[in-house]
Amino acid sequence: MRAIKSKDTSVEVLLRKALWKRGYRYRKNDKTIIGTPDIVFKKYRIAIFIDSEFFHGYNWEIKKTKLHGNRDYWIAKIERNMARDKKVNESLLSKGWVVLRFWGFDVKKNLQGCLKIIETQVDEMKKKIFYIDNEKFL
């Protein structure tokens, strides 16, 4: 378990570099935000998580039947991770944040699609901020 990276994984770096190249500025692994998102746009209240398929339970109902070594440990661990992810999502959403979660393989195979989703959300939040700011002057 010591060898498992929790931040600066190859898919995180890939997405961050692509965002930076497009001119987006962000914070990474911000501990002040619940769940410590991998990428944060604080101004727009957008939290982005890049989840590994194994540790966050992609296709969990199928995958858990195929676990062999130390089965009880892994099932409990991954299900706790999934429950924690759900709790983090609910907490952030209740505070007005937009939560985006991408599977690692989605970032690798469809980087442009992931970027498009992020850009769309940033644009939507920019519009909301603009209108909120304008309401002060009305």
Side-chain angles (χ1 to χ4, degrees), residues 4-19:
I4 305 299
K5 292 174 73 172
S6 64
K7 55 186 174 181
D8 295 331
T9 63
S10 60
V11 288
E12 288 176 31
V13 172
L14 179 69
L15 184 59
R16 288 197 321 245
K17 283 185 177 184
L19 286 168

Side-chain angles (χ1 to χ4, degrees), residues 9-131:
T9 63
S10 60
V11 288
E12 288 176 31
V13 172
L14 179 69
L15 184 59
R16 288 197 321 245
K17 283 185 177 184
L19 286 168
W20 194 267
K21 189 174 182 179
R22 289 182 179 217
Y24 291 98
R25 300 302 178 250
Y26 51 80
R27 296 284 170 249
K28 62 178 199 161
N29 308 112
D30 190 336
K31 292 179 182 176
T32 64
I33 311 299
I34 188 168
T36 313
D38 300 312
I39 300 171
V40 176
F41 294 98
K42 270 191 167 179
K43 180 178 180 179
Y44 305 120
R45 299 180 70 84
I46 299 173
I48 302 169
F49 297 89
I50 299 124
D51 296 333
S52 72
E53 292 77 13
F54 180 74
F55 288 102
H56 293 269
Y58 178 77
N59 277 343
W60 182 236
E61 292 306 315
I62 296 168
K63 295 277 173 92
K64 80 175 171 181
T65 61
K66 297 180 181 181
L67 286 174
H68 297 294
N70 210 359
R71 181 179 167 80
D72 294 336
Y73 169 80
W74 286 113
I75 288 174
K77 177 164 184 54
I78 292 169
E79 287 179 351
R80 279 193 316 269
N81 289 349
M82 292 167 62
R84 185 188 62 238
D85 291 345
K86 184 178 178 184
K87 188 175 179 180
V88 165
N89 290 350
E90 291 168 354
S91 178
L92 287 171
L93 290 170
S94 73
K95 294 176 182 171
W97 283 76
V98 173
V99 179
L100 300 175
R101 285 191 177 269
F102 298 103
W103 292 113
F105 71 85
D106 285 334
V107 173
K108 284 181 187 175
K109 291 184 178 179
N110 189 11
L111 179 61
Q112 296 307 313
C114 295
L115 291 170
K116 181 71 176 159
I117 291 168
I118 294 168
E119 289 174 336
T120 301
Q121 284 301 317
V122 169
D123 290 343
E124 286 297 314
M125 295 308 281
K126 280 181 183 179
K127 289 177 190 174
K128 288 181 182 180
I129 290 172
F130 174 75
Y131 290 124

Side-chain angles (χ1 to χ4, degrees), residues 128-138:
K128 288 181 182 180
I129 290 172
F130 174 75
Y131 290 124
I132 292 170
D133 290 344
N134 276 345
E135 288 176 5
K136 290 179 186 176
F137 300 108
L138 298 177

